[in-house]
Amino acid sequence: STLLTISDKRVPIDKLLKTVKADHAPPQLYTWRWKCSSAVTPRITSHYTICPRDKDPRWEGVEMERFADEADVVIVGGGPAGLSAAIRLKQLANEQEKELRVCLVEKASQIGAHTLSGACLEPSALNELFSDWKERGAPLNTPVTEDVFSLLTKKYRIPVPMLPGLPMNNHGNYIVRLGHFVRWLGEQAEELGVEIYPGYAAAEVLFHEDGSVKGIATNDVGIAKDGSPKDVFERGMELHAKVTLFGEGCHGHLAKQLYRQFNLRENCEPQTYAIGLKEVGLDYTNPYLSPFREFQRWKHHPFIAKTLEGGNRIAYGARALNEGGYQCLPKVTFPGGMLIGCSPGFMNVPKIKGTHTAMKSGMLAAEAIFPKVTAKDLASETAGLHVPEYEDNLKKSWIWKELYSVRNIRPSFHSYFGLYGGMVYTGVFYWILRGKEPWTLKHAGLDSAQLRPAKECTAIEYPKPDGKLSFDLLSSVALSGTNHEGDQPPHLTLKDDSVPVANNLAIYDGPEQRFCPAGVYEYVPLETGEGMRLQINAQNCVHCKTCDIKDPSQNINWVVPEGSGGPAYNGM
């Protein structure tokens, strides 16, 4: 096999890779066909997934061939799940002295740069992956010594006892900076022979003629903001594999395509989410609510403020979290690929932890894949290997048992009795029965469908930030290290450019300018002075994907920008 070395600066690789025609476009890629502009609506979206290049005369004569390379396994996403899968595959290959090429692509400029977490790690999966992780120098240096759980009133705190056995009990866990931990996992993977390519965003799923997954293509570079090719335009490259693992994290944009292509969500509830500033569920109903400003106000509570006073704000970030749990798990295997980690949603919501389950899912995927991809006779009905054993093994694992036992806790908080009813339910049915009740509660539905019209809600007046405990949005985003190439099509695409003003602004008073934690969306006056238009500040995007989730019109489709773009978290 050929070892392909890719640096931060793109280099010619035609001598290393075979040339193939770009004829592997997925059948679902252009699901929506809308006019890119009109006399009435200003043009906002110029991305090729909405405005196809084959109908754009500016692209006539542009070379569209792509280079391709082949591996045994390709992994999308350099987070805990993807890296654990890669490590386990190479461990098995080395133990059995078999050749196995594993390639991992990561959209961040370096491993860990897009990683953000609540940073309390349960080491169960790590113990299985590396029993000697302490000797290897894993950055788990701060064991949890005390848990404090409270209900906050406007000025006071009501302590809630943390009983042994409750999912919120953190005895035996570690306070970590997950970005540093992920970076360490990357080092272990490379030592084992995994090929890791940071700065290369997987933009497209490739398919065989029989419909099975063939691999992925990285994104094209050198496209101007108006969608035209620059002089430095260069096609992405294709990575083909026997099996492709998708570990993109919460609400992955390729996973969304796969859900539709293989109908993976046919037998589960819609996923429900939170945004990780603080645990503000994205199923809220008031369009005037701003998660970012709720977070700033929360820091001024007397019980919280005394911890923060005298400190300095040194970083900021945000991300979405899967909170649907057991009820919302999709089918995770399909011909040629698998879903791992937070992409399908293995987070244990009451624990507010998903790293250990993400890692374990990657390890289970690797153990199911290995005997298939190394067999002399690749017995498969499709060109891309289908490995249903992964899903079978998941259902026999402690992941399934753990998620099933807590399945009713989050939906119980949406019952008639609300917050207090949910707490009572948790105390009775989890602490006493450990989730063995013979029923399964349902969630409220899509988070995007929960917003009520603005006229039915009361506007929220938030206090001004004091610059000590609370801060404005733009200075916070500046601390995320977020950077994108300015002259590229906005990766926050709209299926219809007219919908934001006609629907979101008219009915919900433009909620995207509040639910985005990075100031990407704002409504500004038209140049004529009559009416408003949506302005997208794509360079601010921290890749949390909240907009794609919460947009009441489901008109926003988040896609990857050019590789290396996005936040630059340092151990978040």
Side-chain angles (χ1 to χ4, degrees):
S1 61
T2 302
L3 177 63
L4 174 64
T5 302
I6 302 178
S7 67
D8 290 338
K9 183 177 181 181
R10 294 183 66 90
V11 296
I13 54 176
D14 52 312
K15 293 184 179 180
L16 298 176
L17 306 176
K18 63 183 182 181
T19 303
V20 296
K21 296 290 184 181
D23 58 356
H24 305 295
Q28 82 287 4
L29 186 59
Y30 303 125
T31 304
W32 307 287
R33 301 278 188 177
W34 300 92
K35 292 182 179 179
C36 295
S37 62
S38 71
V40 177
T41 305
R43 179 174 176 173
I44 302 173
T45 302
S46 57
H47 199 275
Y48 70 90
T49 55
I50 303 297
C51 304
R53 294 181 290 209
D54 59 358
K55 297 183 178 180
D56 188 337
R58 297 174 299 176
W59 285 88
E60 291 181 4
V62 176
E63 177 59 59
M64 298 298 283
E65 289 183 341
R66 285 194 289 218
F67 300 114
D69 197 12
E70 293 189 11
D72 294 298
V73 180
V74 167
I75 300 172
V76 178
L83 288 167
S84 295
I87 288 168
R88 188 69 189 122
L89 280 167
K90 293 301 286 187
Q91 286 176 335
L92 291 168
N94 294 345
E95 288 168 7
Q96 300 186 28
E97 298 182 344
K98 293 188 176 182
E99 288 291 327
L100 187 73
R101 188 177 184 206
V102 180
C103 293
L104 182 150
V105 294
E106 163 57 41
K107 63 184 175 68
S109 59
Q110 57 183 315
I111 295 296
H114 287 181
T115 300
L116 180 70
S117 169
C120 189
L121 177 67
E122 181 177 317
S124 51
L126 178 60
N127 290 332
E128 296 180 25
L129 189 62
F130 289 116
S131 59
D132 60 343
W133 56 266
K134 292 183 179 179
E135 290 76 13
R136 288 173 174 266
L140 278 67
N141 304 313
T142 309
V144 175
T145 57
E146 182 183 8
D147 280 306
V148 177
F149 193 68
S150 309
L151 281 177
L152 302 182
T153 64
K154 189 172 183 179
K155 293 185 178 180
Y156 300 101
R157 161 186 173 256
I158 303 172
V160 177
M162 187 65 65
L163 301 173
L166 285 176
M168 297 79 77
N169 189 299
N170 283 294
H171 178 76
N173 297 335
Y174 291 81
I175 304 297
V176 300
R177 298 176 70 175
L178 192 63
H180 290 171
F181 175 68
V182 167
R183 189 183 308 163
W184 176 83
L185 283 177
E187 293 168 357
Q188 307 308 304
E190 288 187 310
E191 286 181 13
L192 288 165
V194 178
E195 299 174 35
I196 298 178
Y197 302 122
Y200 286 80
E204 183 181 328
V205 183
L206 306 176
F207 295 88
H208 290 284
E209 290 184 1
D210 63 4
S212 60
V213 171
K214 186 174 186 177
I216 58 95
T218 62
N219 60 326
D220 299 343
V221 297
I223 304 175
K225 194 169 185 176
D226 64 1
S228 63
K230 301 179 188 176
D231 292 338
V232 294
F233 170 75
E234 187 176 345
R235 284 285 265 164
M237 66 174 293
E238 298 188 1
L239 281 173
H240 303 164
K242 299 170 184 174
V243 182
T244 304
L245 303 186
F246 295 88
E248 305 168 274
C250 177
H251 207 65
H253 86 289
L254 296 183
K256 289 192 303 178
Q257 298 176 27
L258 294 166
Y259 291 146
R260 294 191 295 270
Q261 180 72 12
F262 296 104
N263 202 16
L264 300 178
R265 303 203 66 91
E266 179 181 17
N267 298 313
C268 68
E269 291 187 38
Q271 186 60 265
T272 182
Y273 302 86
I275 182 170
L277 294 159
K278 69 167 188 169
E279 292 300 319
V280 180
L282 285 179
D283 49 5
Y284 63 83
T285 61
N286 188 338
Y288 292 110
L289 187 143
S290 163
F292 174 82
R293 299 185 75 175
E294 290 289 340
F295 178 51
Q296 302 307 312
R297 180 160 62 177
W298 173 80
K299 289 187 290 184
H300 281 278
H301 190 281
F303 181 67
I304 306 300
K306 67 181 182 181
T307 302
L308 301 177
E309 286 172 350
N312 293 316
R313 178 186 57 153
I314 59 173
Y316 170 79
R319 63 163 291 184
L321 309 168
N322 292 305
E323 289 206 336
Y326 175 83
Q327 292 93 319
C328 301
L329 290 176
K331 183 176 175 59
V332 294
T333 65
F334 42 90
M338 301 176 174
L339 301 175
I340 59 175
C342 290
S343 181
F346 292 119
M347 178 176 168
N348 183 323
V349 178
K351 283 187 176 181
I352 320 179
K353 291 177 184 62
T355 302
H356 65 302
T357 51
M359 292 177 66
K360 180 64 174 177
S361 72
M363 294 158 64
L364 289 171
E367 290 162 359
I369 288 170
F370 181 75
K372 298 273 189 177
V373 296
T374 56
K376 293 183 179 179
D377 179 19
L378 292 177
S380 176
E381 296 182 357
T382 53
L385 287 178
H386 188 202
V387 190
E389 291 84 355
Y390 164 51
E391 188 156 331
D392 297 336
N393 294 344
L394 267 174
K395 293 178 179 179
K396 298 173 185 176
S397 74
W398 53 257
I399 293 179
W400 211 258
K401 180 180 179 182
E402 184 175 311
L403 294 185
Y404 183 81
S405 69
V406 300
R407 71 193 183 283
N408 287 330
I409 292 180
R410 189 179 190 273
S412 71
F413 284 82
H414 293 284
S415 68
Y416 175 78
F417 298 102
L419 172 65
Y420 298 104
M423 293 182 65
V424 171
Y425 188 98
T426 301
V428 173
F429 290 102
Y430 183 81
W431 192 61
I432 297 176
L433 298 179
R434 290 295 189 268
K436 294 180 180 178
E437 62 268 31
W439 58 81
T440 298
L441 302 178
K442 291 187 176 182
H443 295 287
L446 286 169
D447 292 343
S448 58
Q450 304 307 310
L451 283 184
R452 293 157 52 199
K455 66 181 181 181
E456 298 178 10
C457 302
T458 302
I460 301 173
E461 293 292 331
Y462 290 101
K464 291 184 178 180
D466 65 358
K468 297 178 181 178
L469 295 182
S470 54
F471 304 92
D472 67 279
L473 182 57
L474 293 183
S475 71
S476 298
V477 174
L479 292 176
S480 69
T482 297
N483 185 52
H484 295 87
E485 162 61 44
D487 189 16
Q488 64 174 307
H491 63 283
L492 297 313
T493 70
L494 303 178
K495 302 171 193 176
D496 185 338
D497 286 351
S498 69
V499 164
V501 171
N503 192 70
N504 289 13
L505 183 62
I507 300 175
Y508 302 100
D509 197 41
E512 53 270 76
Q513 57 192 336
R514 288 180 288 274
F515 60 57
C516 173
V520 170
Y521 302 93
E522 58 180 323
Y523 285 92
V524 298
L526 286 168
E527 286 72 11
T528 61
E530 298 180 3
M532 305 289 283
R533 65 178 178 85
L534 179 67
Q535 178 170 296
I536 297 179
N537 306 309
Q539 67 276 12
N540 286 8
C541 179
V542 294
H543 295 200
C544 72
K545 303 171 190 171
T546 300
C547 56
D548 195 310
I549 296 166
K550 191 61 178 174
D551 176 16
S553 304
Q554 284 299 278
N555 185 52
I556 299 172
N557 186 44
W558 191 99
V559 298
V560 289
E562 288 190 4
S564 298
Y569 299 138
N570 180 18
M572 292 283 278

